[in-house]
Amino acid sequence: MTPARIGLVGCGRLATVGYAPASRAATGIELVAVADPDHRRRAEVLAAHGGLRSGRVMAFRSAADLLAAVEVDALVLATPAPLHVADAARAVTLGVPVLVEKPPAEDVGGARALAALDPAPWVGFNRRFDAGARAVRDAVPAAGDLHVTLVLSYRRRSWGAHVAHDDALLDLGPHLVDWARWLTGAEVETVTATEVGPERAALELATDRGPVRIWARADGIHREAIDVRDGHGRAVAQHVVGGPLGAVRGRLQRGPHPLVRSLTAQLEALGRAVAGHAEPDLGTAADGVAAMAVIDAARASHATGGEAVAVAPS
C-alpha cells in the first residue's frame, strides 16, 4: 500500500516528543510537511523526525501555506484548541481529511462545528491505542453494572509545553471522559464536579452502566490508572502506568516511550482509514462532541457548587 502523505500542523511539545518519532516509526504513513509560525519549533520537529538531515519534509508557517504548496492525504492538527475549527474547515474544503488533537475544541459548541464538517474530522484520543487500556476494554463485559475509577496525572512544568493555557479539566478531562465511554460502551447522563481548578479536577459521572470517578492532575507525578469493578465491587480489570514505582520502571524500560507507541498506532490507523479501511478505534468527531458535552456539564456543575448537571445530548 502506498503510504499516506501526512501534514502536521503545530510544532509544540507533543509534536516534538510524540508525533515526530511516531511518524518515523509508523508504517503506512509518510510525514511530508510540518507547519508552525515559529521557525525554531519547526526545526526541532524536523530534527526529531530526521527530516532536517534528509530534506524530505517541507516546513511552512501555517496550515494554509502547507495546503497551498503540498499535496497531502491527511492533516494532523496538533495546535491549540481555538485554532482547530478554522484549519480543519480549510482542509476539508480542499478534500483533505483531518485528525484533530484533543481537546477538539474549547467547548461543545466548537466540537459540534467540527462534527458538522464534511468529512468530519477524527479526534486524537490516542490513549485508546495504549496496549494496557485495550486489554482492559477487552476484559469488560458487554452488559452489567460497573464501578470505574480513572486517573491521569502528570507534572505540567516538567512537560515544558510551549503554549499551556488549558486547565486540568480541558487538558486531561477529554481523555478521561473518552476512556469512560470507550472502555465501557456507556453514555454519560449527569456530571458532578467535586473539584475544578487550574491544576486539578475531580468528577463523578453517572452513566447507564454505573458510576465513573475521574481524577485529573497537572501538578503531580506521572500516573495513568484504570480500575474497573462489577456491580458487587469485584475486580474486572486494572491498568496502571507510572507512579513512584512506574517512574523507576520507565527509566529501565527499553523501546519507544508509551506516548510514542500509542501515537504510532494511531497514525497507522489514520493511514488505513485514509485508504478507506474501517478503523473503529479512531476517535470520531461525535466522540469529541460527547467528551466536550461532559466537560461543559462539569463546568456548569462547578458553578453551582457541585450539583449534578445533565449532559447535553450529542
Side-chain angles (χ1 to χ4, degrees):
M1 184 176 68
T2 302
R5 294 166 54 85
I6 303 297
L8 174 63
V9 181
C11 294
R13 183 69 171 162
L14 179 62
T16 302
V17 304
Y19 274 112
S23 63
R24 187 175 65 242
T27 59
I29 69 106
E30 178 186 5
L31 182 67
V32 297
V34 301
D36 193 282
D38 190 318
H39 70 91
R40 291 168 297 183
R41 296 178 193 169
R42 297 196 300 267
E44 288 175 359
V45 169
L46 291 174
H49 177 267
L52 189 66
R53 294 186 297 274
S54 68
R56 292 194 301 268
V57 183
M58 302 179 68
F60 301 91
R61 288 187 52 83
S62 68
D65 291 344
L66 186 159
L67 290 166
V70 183
E71 182 177 343
V72 293
D73 298 310
L75 201 66
V76 174
L77 298 181
T79 48
L83 305 178
H84 288 171
V85 174
D87 283 342
R90 180 178 290 108
V92 301
T93 298
L94 298 173
V96 178
V98 177
L99 184 143
V100 176
E101 254 303 317
K102 70 83 205 167
E106 294 179 288
D107 53 30
V108 72
R112 288 189 175 122
L114 283 172
L117 298 175
D118 186 18
W122 291 287
V123 178
F125 291 128
N126 64 290
R127 280 178 170 80
R128 293 181 173 201
F129 294 89
D130 177 87
R134 293 170 77 91
V136 170
R137 186 173 187 245
D138 291 342
V140 172
D145 291 342
L146 299 171
H147 294 263
V148 180
T149 302
L150 304 172
V151 177
L152 284 179
S153 172
Y154 80 116
R155 187 167 286 110
R156 198 196 308 266
R157 289 177 302 174
S158 65
W159 174 247
H162 298 303
V163 179
H165 300 310
D166 298 343
D167 62 5
L169 182 61
L170 188 59
D171 184 5
L172 299 172
H175 272 311
L176 288 159
V177 174
D178 184 68
W179 252 357
R181 298 178 64 250
W182 177 74
L183 290 167
T184 67
E187 292 299 335
V188 182
E189 297 170 343
T190 66
V191 182
T192 302
T194 57
E195 182 179 9
V196 174
E199 303 299 331
R200 299 184 184 186
L203 312 178
E204 295 182 4
L205 314 183
T207 81
D208 51 16
R209 295 195 65 183
V212 178
R213 290 177 174 83
I214 280 178
W215 303 85
R217 291 190 60 177
D219 62 352
I221 192 169
H222 171 241
R223 185 168 184 259
E224 305 183 15
I226 302 169
D227 183 271
V228 181
R229 298 179 180 272
D230 65 18
H232 300 286
R234 293 185 295 253
V236 173
Q238 291 83 31
H239 168 59
V240 179
V241 175
L245 292 178
V248 175
R249 287 195 298 267
R251 286 192 290 270
L252 299 175
Q253 183 182 25
R254 295 182 179 181
H257 189 278
L259 172 65
V260 175
R261 287 200 298 270
S262 66
L263 289 176
T264 298
Q266 181 175 267
L267 285 173
E268 291 175 344
L270 175 64
R272 294 190 295 269
V274 167
H277 299 281
E279 289 294 329
D281 283 335
L282 272 178
T284 66
D287 293 323
V289 171
M292 295 311 301
V294 173
I295 299 302
D296 282 9
R299 295 201 188 283
S301 173
H302 178 65
T304 66
E307 295 181 6
V309 172
V311 177
S314 300

